[in-house]
Amino acid sequence: KMLKKIFLIVSTIILITGCEYKPIYSESNKSDYKIIIKELSGDKKINKFLVNNLERSSQKKSDKIVNLKINTKYTKIILAKDAAGNVTNYQSNAITTFIIDQNQTLKTFTINEKFNFQKMSDKYEEKGYEENIKKNLATAIAQKLILRLSINQ
């Protein structure tokens, strides 16, 4: 019995000290390249949020440079109406096309993010909510771009 307890304690200590805890996205958010945005077109709000997210991930002193051209298209479509014909649900859709110039190599890819939401009775509140949705869409797009750049290093 004593030998069994010692073995259990030793193996537990080895497992605990051998396993290193790291948040999943901690390494993917730390890039080793400098992001330079050459051109922006499309939805200005989403692009502003996107640029803010990318600047936080960019390493200012890195020798590896990634040049970006960004084109964002935002649409808000009606998903559902009630019996009287009044709108009840919308879908926000952000389609962002990136042209990446890295080491004299051009790559193009598109990220599409969608979000469904209900119409609000207060127009002012709905406008603020829609801006928050744009911010969240831009954050999701930036994270996918950063992950893509990290994989292609």
Side-chain angles (χ1 to χ4, degrees), residues 46-47 50 70-73 94-98 109-113 141:
I46 292 178
N47 283 342
L50 196 55
I70 303 171
N71 180 14
T72 303
K73 181 181 176 190
I95 302 170
T96 305
T97 303
F98 296 98
F109 72 96
T110 302
I111 297 174
N112 187 0
E113 286 291 320
I141 291 168

Side-chain angles (χ1 to χ4, degrees), residues 1 18-19 23 26 30-31 49 51 56 60 70 74-75 87 97 103-104 109-110 113 118 123-125 128 143 149:
K1 279 190 165 188
C19 297
S26 68
K30 293 181 182 176
S31 59
F49 294 132
V51 167
R56 274 189 243 127
K60 306 289 186 238
I70 303 171
Y74 175 78
T75 55
V87 176
T97 303
N103 301 326
Q104 306 300 327
F109 72 96
T110 302
E113 286 291 320
Q118 291 184 338
K123 292 282 185 196
Y124 181 76
E125 188 178 336
Q143 287 175 346
L149 291 173

Side-chain angles (χ1 to χ4, degrees), residues 6-19:
I6 292 172
F7 176 74
L8 186 60
I9 292 171
V10 170
S11 61
T12 304
I13 291 172
I14 290 172
L15 282 174
I16 291 174
T17 58
C19 297

Side-chain angles (χ1 to χ4, degrees), residues 37 40 44-58 60 70 135 138-139 142 146:
I37 298 168
L40 283 172
K44 291 180 182 175
K45 289 269 187 198
I46 292 178
N47 283 342
K48 182 183 105 178
F49 294 132
L50 196 55
V51 167
N52 288 341
N53 281 306
L54 294 175
E55 283 177 349
R56 274 189 243 127
S57 297
S58 180
K60 306 289 186 238
I70 303 171
K135 186 176 185 178
T139 300
I146 291 163

Side-chain angles (χ1 to χ4, degrees), residues 8-134:
L8 186 60
I9 292 171
V10 170
S11 61
T12 304
I13 291 172
I14 290 172
L15 282 174
I16 291 174
T17 58
C19 297
E20 184 179 345
Y21 169 77
K22 282 186 186 178
I24 294 174
Y25 292 109
S26 68
E27 294 301 315
S28 65
N29 286 337
K30 293 181 182 176
S31 59
D32 61 340
Y33 42 81
K34 180 178 180 180
I35 298 174
I36 299 174
I37 298 168
K38 294 288 189 179
E39 186 179 312
L40 283 172
S41 60
D43 189 273
K44 291 180 182 175
K45 289 269 187 198
I46 292 178
N47 283 342
K48 182 183 105 178
F49 294 132
L50 196 55
V51 167
N52 288 341
N53 281 306
L54 294 175
E55 283 177 349
R56 274 189 243 127
S57 297
S58 180
Q59 298 297 321
K60 306 289 186 238
K61 297 178 182 176
S62 178
D63 292 333
K64 297 178 185 175
I65 295 176
V66 176
N67 294 306
L68 287 178
K69 290 183 182 178
I70 303 171
N71 180 14
T72 303
K73 181 181 176 190
Y74 175 78
T75 55
K76 179 179 161 184
I77 60 171
I78 297 170
L79 282 183
K81 294 183 179 183
D82 62 12
N86 299 319
V87 176
T88 58
N89 292 41
Y90 291 108
Q91 181 180 72
S92 290
N93 189 13
I95 302 170
T96 305
T97 303
F98 296 98
I99 300 174
I100 302 169
D101 182 359
Q102 189 175 16
N103 301 326
Q104 306 300 327
T105 305
L106 287 177
K107 294 177 186 173
T108 303
F109 72 96
T110 302
I111 297 174
N112 187 0
E113 286 291 320
K114 297 178 183 181
F115 184 79
N116 298 339
F117 65 100
Q118 291 184 338
K119 181 179 178 358
M120 297 179 171
S121 56
D122 183 5
K123 292 282 185 196
Y124 181 76
E125 188 178 336
E126 185 174 306
K127 187 172 178 125
Y129 185 61
E130 189 172 352
E131 185 164 329
N132 195 27
I133 289 170
K134 286 184 176 186

